[in-house]
């Protein structure tokens, strides 16, 4: 608006559109973007598919045991509908502090498109590291895992 001349600005009607604020972006990332990215990159599968695999004789060591009460609570968000895939460590995930740091320092635009891109990038790198470790493959210096944990936190976010 600073570049529009004052006489023209007087005759215009200015409509201000706001984007998502900080808590909304964090909630969107936790509830929708992280589960979607982890599913798309093979780190998580739907509970129904995991149950079908279990009934076919393929027991999953990484699937947590849940009771019916826990099932109803978890199903309220998309994250509750997923479990870790086979051969994926149960500690793989992105912490709330890492999401907050992403929103605050890396994705400052009004929408969540760049936030989604950053989360996708992190989960792709996690998936690559899981597969490489499972197969015993060596990765390049840029792609190797720099921390001992599979959990992405604010402290190790810079490595992803």
């Amino acid at each position: 608006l600073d570049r529009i001349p004052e006489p023209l600005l007087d005759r215009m009607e200015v409509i201000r559109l706001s984007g998502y604020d900080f808590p909304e972006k964090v909630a969107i990332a936790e509830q929708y973007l992280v589960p979607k990215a982890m599913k798309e990159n093979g780190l998580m599968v739907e509970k129904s598919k995991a149950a079908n695999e279990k009934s076919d004789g393929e027991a999953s060591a990484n699937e947590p045991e849940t009771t019916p009460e826990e099932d109803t609570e978890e199903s309220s968000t998309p994250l509750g509908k997923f479990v870790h895939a086979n051969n994926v460590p149960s500690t793989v995930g992105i912490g709330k502090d890492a999401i907050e740091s992403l929103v605050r320092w890396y994705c400052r635009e009004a929408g969540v498109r760049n936030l989604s891109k950053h989360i996708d990038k992190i989960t792709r790198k996690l998936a690559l590291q899981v597969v490489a470790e499972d197969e015993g493959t060596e990765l390049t210096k840029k792609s190797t895992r720099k921390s001992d944990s599979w959990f992405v936190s604010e402290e190790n976010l810079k490595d992803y």
Side-chain angles (χ1 to χ4, degrees):
L1 291 176
D2 297 333
R3 296 174 33 184
I4 300 174
E6 281 296 319
L8 181 60
L9 194 57
D10 279 348
R11 293 181 179 94
M12 292 175 56
E13 183 176 338
V14 178
I15 300 173
R16 297 193 187 273
L17 301 174
S18 65
Y20 298 111
D21 59 354
F22 181 78
E24 290 173 332
K25 283 186 180 183
V26 171
I28 290 169
E30 283 182 324
Q31 294 177 4
Y32 300 100
L33 299 178
V34 171
K36 180 181 139 219
M38 291 185 82
K39 181 182 177 221
E40 288 175 352
N41 290 297
L43 295 173
M44 291 190 146
V45 293
E46 291 183 40
K47 281 186 180 180
S48 59
K49 289 182 183 178
N52 290 342
E53 287 178 5
K54 234 182 181 183
S55 65
D56 291 341
E58 297 178 16
S60 173
N62 294 330
E63 185 176 340
E65 295 292 324
T66 58
T67 60
E69 297 85 33
E70 291 174 352
D71 238 1
T72 56
E73 288 176 17
E74 289 180 0
S75 297
S76 63
T77 65
L79 189 57
K81 297 177 185 174
F82 299 102
V83 294
H84 286 93
N86 291 338
N87 301 328
V88 175
S90 61
T91 57
V92 169
I94 302 174
K96 185 173 182 171
D97 59 338
I99 293 171
E100 289 173 353
S101 185
L102 273 174
V103 170
R104 185 173 287 122
W105 305 114
Y106 295 90
C107 309
R108 298 185 59 142
E109 83 285 351
V112 293
R113 183 178 298 155
N114 281 342
L115 179 60
S116 177
K117 288 179 183 178
H118 280 281
I119 290 171
D120 287 342
K121 179 182 172 188
I122 291 169
T123 55
R124 278 193 307 272
K125 195 164 186 180
L126 279 171
L128 175 68
Q129 292 170 354
V130 167
V131 169
E133 189 164 300
D134 191 38
E135 294 180 357
T137 308
E138 262 190 59
L139 295 171
T140 62
K141 185 178 179 183
K142 185 178 180 181
S143 298
T144 56
R145 192 161 58 118
K146 294 169 180 63
S147 67
D148 295 331
S149 171
W150 287 104
F151 191 73
V152 179
S153 64
E154 187 175 15
E155 289 80 37
N156 66 358
L157 181 62
K158 64 185 177 300
D159 298 334
Y160 293 92

